[in-house]
Amino acid sequence: MNLLRKLLFPFAILYGFITSLRNFLFDKGILKSHSFDIPVIAVGNLNVGGTGKTPQIEYLIRLLSPKYKVATLSRGYKRKSKGFVLADANSNAEILGDEPFQYYKKFPNIQIAVDADRKNGIEQLLKQSSKPEVILLDDAFQHRKVRAGFYILLTAYDDLFCDDFMLPTGNLRESRSGAKRANVIIVTKCPSNITEVEQEKIREKLMRFLSRHDMTRRNDKVNGVFFSYTDYDDKVYNDTESLAVSEVKTAQKILLAGIANPKPFFDFLRADTDEIMEFHDHHHFNESEILTIKNKANDKIIITTEKDFVRLEAKILKKQLFYLPIRSKLVSNQEAFDQTILNYVGTSTGNR
């Protein structure tokens, strides 16, 4: 923790008080939360920064879309449009935001919507002629105006919320006690070979934050805390071709990323001769930056993340730009996690 953050400690106390008061008012019903007659799953975090929400939403889409009509609802961070937007053939990353547009391109058979007002967004989705049967709320753990039926809290392996502190001294959006709203916690970005002993140590640290009122879940440790890792594809892609990662790793190239924590992406593909270009998360590239990228690349290929690709593909030669897909995979107990989600959706749908 740097000196400036330490000096801002009084502001962290104030910020923590304000967010705790807000949560208290929602918990007591003084501020109103709205629930819906449809399964709603909220995915989010307590920390700012990348915890892997996008791969987790995609995991849920793959799990649920073969059985149900699925819709995702995001705020559409840094989009240039306003209000409720339902993705269609005219959509792009500027209209939807990079992550929702990524969902739209990968999963054309589900509904993708954006609205900063999640309550209004759900109401608009339910007015569609083809109503969704389950809605996934992206980055909505703090959006208390909607009461989801199931909450998935993500926390990164190397930045656990239980070891963090409130903004601006730390990186927490709200107090660690906010984790009590979670139905399950997923520790993301773990080493794929994380041992059972280390999992148990982390599980013991996190289980105490789950709701004391749900003793069944607290006593079932396996179904309370799960562990996932980032699985990289063995190819990079653009809209017309693919290249093997084994070949790409040894080639001269540009590695470019505008995500919260690009180090694992860079480390996976990096060669000594590579040019590394790092930008802020959700960065919108201006003409000057595009020109700089092109000049540095010259005739080299450019490898970026999926999220950056949807913002860059219209600005850089398609034959030159590629992206590396990733997936979130559970280290163990995948069947138990999947069944927990399917049981919630199935029961909620059956009781509508």
Side-chain angles (χ1 to χ4, degrees), residues 9 84 161 204 223 312:
F9 180 76
F84 176 82
F161 72 82
E204 290 292 340
N223 291 333
L312 287 168

Side-chain angles (χ1 to χ4, degrees), residues 35-308:
S35 56
F36 292 87
D37 189 23
I38 183 175
V40 176
I41 301 174
V43 178
N45 48 22
L46 297 183
N47 312 66
V48 296
T51 54
K53 291 184 295 292
T54 301
Q56 186 57 48
I57 290 287
E58 291 186 358
Y59 183 101
L60 295 173
I61 292 171
R62 293 186 181 98
L63 174 65
L64 294 169
S65 59
K67 300 174 180 287
Y68 301 98
K69 295 178 182 178
V70 174
T72 68
L73 179 61
S74 312
R75 62 172 168 162
Y77 184 61
K78 286 195 174 181
R79 64 187 170 112
K80 295 184 178 180
S81 60
K82 300 293 183 181
F84 176 82
V85 179
L86 185 64
D88 60 23
N90 297 316
S91 297
N92 56 37
E94 291 188 347
I95 293 173
L96 297 178
D98 47 21
E99 290 158 345
F101 188 55
Q102 178 178 320
Y103 302 148
Y104 177 71
K105 292 191 67 175
K106 294 180 74 171
F107 305 101
N109 295 324
I110 73 168
Q111 292 173 304
I112 309 295
V114 293
D115 197 335
D117 182 342
R118 304 304 207 284
K119 174 180 175 290
N120 180 69
I122 294 174
E123 290 171 345
Q124 295 302 316
L125 280 169
L126 296 178
K127 290 178 181 178
Q128 303 301 312
S129 56
S130 178
K131 296 180 181 179
E133 296 174 315
V134 56
I135 295 176
L136 306 177
L137 297 183
D138 186 7
D139 195 14
F141 201 82
Q142 284 77 36
H143 198 90
R144 300 297 305 274
K145 290 184 180 180
V146 168
R147 184 186 298 115
F150 197 95
Y151 287 90
I152 298 175
L153 176 61
L154 307 181
T155 185
Y157 167 80
D158 60 355
D159 190 22
L160 298 174
F161 72 82
C162 60
D163 298 329
D164 208 341
F165 198 74
M166 295 294 302
L167 286 165
T169 298
N171 290 314
L172 291 184
R173 297 173 170 181
E174 61 172 301
S175 166
R176 291 172 288 186
S177 63
K180 68 184 180 182
R181 300 195 300 276
N183 294 87
V184 299
I185 298 173
I186 301 179
V187 182
T188 62
K189 303 184 179 182
C190 296
S192 59
N193 60 349
I194 183 173
T195 66
E196 291 186 7
V197 172
E198 187 174 7
Q199 289 180 55
E200 187 58 29
K201 287 181 180 179
I202 296 173
R203 185 178 283 116
E204 290 292 340
K205 292 174 69 174
L206 298 179
M207 282 297 294
R208 64 190 179 93
F209 290 97
L210 290 174
S211 175
R212 290 184 172 84
H213 300 293
D214 192 344
M215 294 307 296
T216 301
R217 187 174 70 236
R218 285 176 59 80
N219 292 332
D220 188 354
K221 294 182 179 180
V222 170
N223 291 333
V225 179
F226 296 86
F227 297 81
S228 70
Y229 65 96
T230 301
D231 184 43
Y232 293 98
D233 204 300
D234 58 2
K235 293 183 179 181
V236 296
Y237 301 84
N238 59 28
D239 290 339
T240 60
E241 63 178 315
S242 63
L243 301 172
V245 166
S246 57
E247 298 176 12
V248 167
K249 283 186 174 182
T250 58
Q252 286 192 335
K253 58 189 177 292
I254 300 289
L255 294 180
L256 185 157
I259 58 176
N261 179 19
K263 185 177 183 301
F265 167 77
F266 291 144
D267 289 347
F268 182 72
L269 292 172
R270 186 195 301 260
D272 291 339
T273 56
D274 290 343
E275 176 85 29
I276 305 298
M277 302 188 71
E278 183 176 348
F279 298 86
H280 292 298
D281 195 15
H282 300 280
H283 182 73
H284 281 289
F285 299 90
N286 60 40
E287 292 183 8
S288 175
E289 290 166 335
I290 294 297
L291 182 60
T292 300
I293 293 168
K294 289 179 177 179
N295 288 338
K296 286 190 175 184
N298 196 6
D299 59 350
K300 300 174 185 176
I301 61 171
I302 303 167
I303 312 295
T304 189
T305 68
E306 279 190 274
K307 189 163 70 171
D308 294 304

